[in-house]
Amino acid sequence: MTRRKRLGPLGVLAAAGLALVCGLGSANAGTWDEFVSKARGQTVYWNAWGGDERTNSFIDWVGQQVQTRYGITVRQVKLSDTAEAVSRVVAEKTAGRDDNGSVDLIWINGPNFLSMKDKQLLYGPFTQFLPNYQYVDTASKLSNVTDFTIPVDGMESPWRLAQVVFNYDSSRVSDVPRTIKDFVAWAKAHPGRFTHPDVRDFMGATFLKQALIELAPDRGRLQQPVTDADFAKETAPLWSWYEQLKPLLWRRGEQFPSNGPAARQLLNDGEIDLSMSFDPAEAAASVASGLLPDTIRTYSLSGGTIGNTSFVAIPYNSPHKEAAMVVANFLLDPATQAHAQDIRVLGSFTVLDLDKLSTERRQLFADLPTSPALPTNADLGPVLLEPHPSWMTRITDEWMRRYVK
């Protein structure tokens, strides 16, 4: 970071308050450059799910960049479940280890974020100090500021966006359902040519959540914890719709692919014509790697689809908060975001509002490789907020009660 960004009066007051609350000390005294200066030489232990090689490679690249630019070392602690890092911080707090924790940065969202926020295990708010946060889309991508119905309140910083899309084989079908209600009519015309993953997998549960959002009489109720009365009223149209759709699914809805990759394989094998994904770039990347035919196309529903944002958060007892903030800021750099969106790298769609960027920086995104299977940022349409987590648990349980023998 070469430019010197001085905090305004409110920023200085907020920084002073932050120092008192979080014990950051004199590093908050004035400028972003002073954060960067103090971060030099620090090591950030970034706890992140390690199950995806492309993501692991991207984190390696981030480590190389911040070492070269800021003298910061990044060590990825590969997790099989984010809850592992949360449990570690909880254990450290219980043991009174309040200022020399083992976790500096966590890839987090959803229930894990809620747990850490409720237990006051997070450092912050800090996003107001990140120079690149000004470019974040906080208007049309509401998942950047509301994490599974929980206000972010500056306690975590976004870095990648996921959004539900549908993939179809254009060599076999040209008409595709544009709304959830359209799926029944489409499936009648194409019986057995669509399925969703098992609802016990998050992708299958997401399909039900997408349907619930579109069909519920009062979508706003879904942002609150579910009650018995609300559940009966808001899900009645969902079950009525699903009763019509289920016998028209692949194998008459008696069997389901175990997860998203299994559904993608069915699409590749020609057993179905339409599948879904939570990664808008997945089909393009799969075509490039030979996992799907080049006739696959990707689209979103006309009213928008469920999206959620991946964040990074800093535990309250991180000994390297300044370096963690510099890494969080680097992840929001427009050039970093464009690199992450490259389907040859990660294919993650940006959390930034491109209209806030200079012409030169917007061009970074315009110059990215294209694919007939890759939607544009505009093609994705509105991001719909996830329902409160309690709704997913209830509709999953109800689906199993009704349909699993």
Side-chain angles (χ1 to χ4, degrees):
M1 179 59 62
T2 55
R3 68 191 177 94
R4 187 174 178 84
K5 179 180 176 66
R6 184 164 292 280
L7 303 177
L10 292 177
V12 171
L13 289 172
L18 188 66
L20 289 172
V21 171
C22 303
L24 194 59
S26 59
N28 276 338
T31 68
W32 176 251
D33 286 348
E34 288 165 347
F35 280 88
V36 174
S37 177
K38 190 162 185 177
R40 183 168 293 277
Q42 294 184 351
T43 297
V44 173
Y45 287 88
W46 183 356
N47 286 240
W49 180 64
D52 178 62
E53 286 307 314
R54 278 158 60 97
T55 300
N56 294 339
S57 296
F58 176 75
I59 291 175
D60 284 343
W61 176 83
V62 169
Q64 295 165 16
Q65 294 298 311
V66 298
Q67 175 60 244
T68 300
R69 300 183 189 198
Y70 306 111
I72 294 170
T73 300
V74 172
R75 304 287 188 204
Q76 182 185 359
V77 179
K78 295 179 181 177
L79 308 174
S80 58
D81 189 324
T82 304
E84 296 169 16
V86 177
S87 298
R88 198 176 314 135
V89 178
V90 169
E92 290 172 352
K93 184 171 186 177
T94 302
R97 190 174 168 182
D98 292 329
D99 55 8
N100 191 29
S102 62
V103 182
D104 297 301
L105 198 65
I106 305 179
W107 173 9
I108 197 169
N109 69 357
N112 288 306
F113 170 66
L114 174 61
S115 175
M116 293 195 75
K117 189 181 182 189
D118 282 351
K119 292 181 173 67
Q120 299 185 327
L121 296 175
L122 293 174
Y123 164 73
F126 68 92
T127 56
Q128 71 271 34
F129 301 115
L130 308 181
N132 288 326
Y133 191 80
Q134 65 181 302
Y135 305 123
V136 171
D137 188 339
T138 57
S140 65
K141 297 172 182 171
L142 295 179
S143 62
N144 287 339
V145 293
T146 303
D147 186 354
F148 283 72
T149 75
I150 309 302
V152 169
D153 293 333
M155 305 297 285
E156 56 181 359
S157 180
W159 69 287
R160 61 190 292 185
L161 184 70
Q163 189 170 350
V164 170
V165 292
F166 292 86
N167 304 316
Y168 69 98
D169 192 330
S170 63
S171 71
R172 296 197 292 265
V173 294
S174 56
D175 59 321
V176 289
R178 297 290 178 178
T179 71
I180 281 295
K181 288 183 177 178
D182 290 346
F183 272 80
V184 173
W186 187 90
K188 286 180 179 176
H190 306 274
R193 305 304 295 172
F194 170 69
T195 189
H196 57 77
D198 191 303
V199 169
R200 287 165 286 194
D201 176 75
F202 85 97
M203 196 69 249
T206 298
F207 180 67
L208 288 188
K209 288 189 290 183
Q210 176 71 36
L212 177 64
I213 289 173
E214 289 200 35
L215 299 172
D218 182 358
R219 184 180 298 185
R221 299 298 302 169
L222 307 181
Q223 295 298 301
Q224 304 298 321
V226 64
T227 65
D228 289 343
D230 281 347
F231 184 77
K233 179 180 179 182
E234 302 299 334
T235 64
L238 168 69
W239 303 122
S240 175
W241 167 84
Y242 194 78
E243 290 288 342
Q244 300 175 67
L245 178 66
K246 182 175 178 293
L248 302 170
L249 297 175
W250 176 74
R251 296 192 176 178
R252 299 180 181 276
E254 299 297 329
Q255 290 181 275
F256 296 89
S258 58
N259 51 36
R264 183 187 61 203
Q265 187 62 48
L266 293 179
L267 184 63
N268 187 54
D269 292 343
E271 289 205 43
I272 58 175
D273 296 331
L274 179 65
S275 68
M276 62 182 299
S277 173
F278 221 140
D279 179 358
E282 180 189 38
S286 296
V287 169
S289 59
L291 295 175
L292 286 174
D294 61 9
T295 49
I296 297 297
R297 300 292 182 267
T298 298
Y299 75 102
S300 183
L301 300 183
S302 59
T305 51
I306 289 176
N308 66 49
T309 297
S310 291
F311 297 87
V312 287
I314 305 171
Y316 83 104
N317 61 345
S318 160
H320 308 123
K321 296 182 178 69
E322 295 86 358
M325 290 173 65
V326 171
V327 173
N329 187 62
F330 177 77
L331 292 171
L332 291 175
D333 187 297
T336 304
Q337 287 282 301
H339 182 71
Q341 190 169 315
D342 190 328
I343 58 173
R344 298 167 300 184
V345 178
L346 198 57
S348 291
F349 275 63
T350 184
V351 297
L352 304 184
D353 180 349
L354 299 189
D355 290 339
K356 293 181 178 179
L357 304 183
S358 65
T359 301
E360 180 182 355
R361 285 174 157 173
R362 278 199 300 273
Q363 193 63 38
L364 296 173
F365 293 87
D367 290 342
L368 290 174
T370 61
S371 164
L374 185 68
T376 66
N377 288 287
D379 289 338
L380 293 179
V383 175
L384 304 181
L385 290 177
E386 292 266 8
H388 188 276
S390 57
W391 285 91
M392 186 176 82
T393 302
R394 287 291 299 269
I395 60 174
T396 300
D397 290 347
E398 179 64 15
W399 184 88
M400 293 180 63
R401 187 189 70 78
R402 287 172 178 253
Y403 304 115
V404 177
K405 299 177 181 177

